[in-house]
Amino acid sequence: MPQIAQLMEVYGSQFFWLLIVIGIIYFFIAKNMVPKISKTVDDRQKRITDDLAAAQSAQDRAEQIEEDYRTSINNAKSDAVSKVNEAKAGAAKKNEAAVKRADTSIAKKAEEADAALKAATATALTEIESVAAEAAKDIVATVSGTKVTAAQAKKAVKAAF
């Protein structure tokens, strides 16, 4: 076959032109395409770096806002606790004063009631003594028929009490 016989003669020149075309394509890509691709890769890397920096900045801001929020919440809680404690202390003082006034009032009323009771007891005893003296005088007059004076009857009743 004649085509196979020519192959060795044409092979060298075809290989030479193949290398020339590949070299031209390589230099064309190296001069025109590689800088564009490199620029695109660099731009993408810069955008990623900038986005990461912006995200870090936003996260730092968010953490600062959260810390400020927690601080304000803690301050509000401590203020509320102190106000509640102050209110409790004020209420305790008012209650203590009210209890003291009530104790004083009750003690005064108890003293008045005690004095009234003593006066009533004394009055009752006096009345009982006078009634007992009259009864004793009448009993002695009825039983023995002797007359006893009111003073003697009172003296006998007081001795009995």
Side-chain angles (χ1 to χ4, degrees):
M1 255 180 111
Q3 295 96 352
I4 295 179
Q6 288 179 345
L7 188 63
M8 290 312 273
E9 293 173 9
V10 181
Y11 181 69
S13 74
Q14 284 182 349
F15 185 69
F16 171 77
W17 287 110
L18 176 70
L19 287 177
I20 298 246
V21 168
I22 288 176
I24 290 172
I25 291 174
Y26 175 77
F27 284 116
F28 174 75
I29 289 175
K31 290 289 183 184
N32 292 329
M33 301 295 268
V34 170
K36 290 178 185 177
I37 292 172
S38 295
K39 184 178 183 304
T40 303
V41 169
D42 290 342
D43 289 345
R44 176 185 270 171
Q45 186 63 37
K46 184 179 183 296
R47 189 175 342 141
I48 290 171
T49 304
D50 291 345
D51 288 347
L52 287 175
Q56 183 64 40
S57 174
Q59 183 177 4
D60 292 342
R61 258 185 296 140
E63 287 174 356
Q64 182 63 38
I65 289 170
E66 181 182 7
E67 183 179 329
D68 293 344
Y69 170 74
R70 291 191 188 276
T71 302
S72 66
I73 290 295
N74 289 338
N75 290 340
K77 283 181 182 178
S78 65
D79 288 345
V81 167
S82 67
K83 286 182 181 180
V84 165
N85 289 337
E86 288 174 8
K88 283 181 182 179
K93 285 181 182 179
K94 286 181 182 178
N95 287 341
E96 187 177 316
V99 167
K100 283 183 181 179
R101 284 193 307 269
D103 284 344
T104 305
S105 175
I106 290 171
K108 184 178 177 183
K109 287 181 182 179
E111 288 174 7
E112 290 173 359
D114 190 38
L117 183 61
K118 286 180 181 177
T121 304
T123 305
L125 282 176
T126 305
E127 289 179 16
I128 289 174
E129 284 178 4
S130 65
V131 170
E134 280 184 38
K137 181 179 159 187
D138 290 340
I139 291 172
V140 168
T142 309
V143 172
S144 68
T146 27
K147 273 216 168 218
V148 179
T149 63
Q152 289 174 339
K154 278 189 178 183
K155 186 178 177 185
V157 168
K158 279 190 182 186
F161 278 120

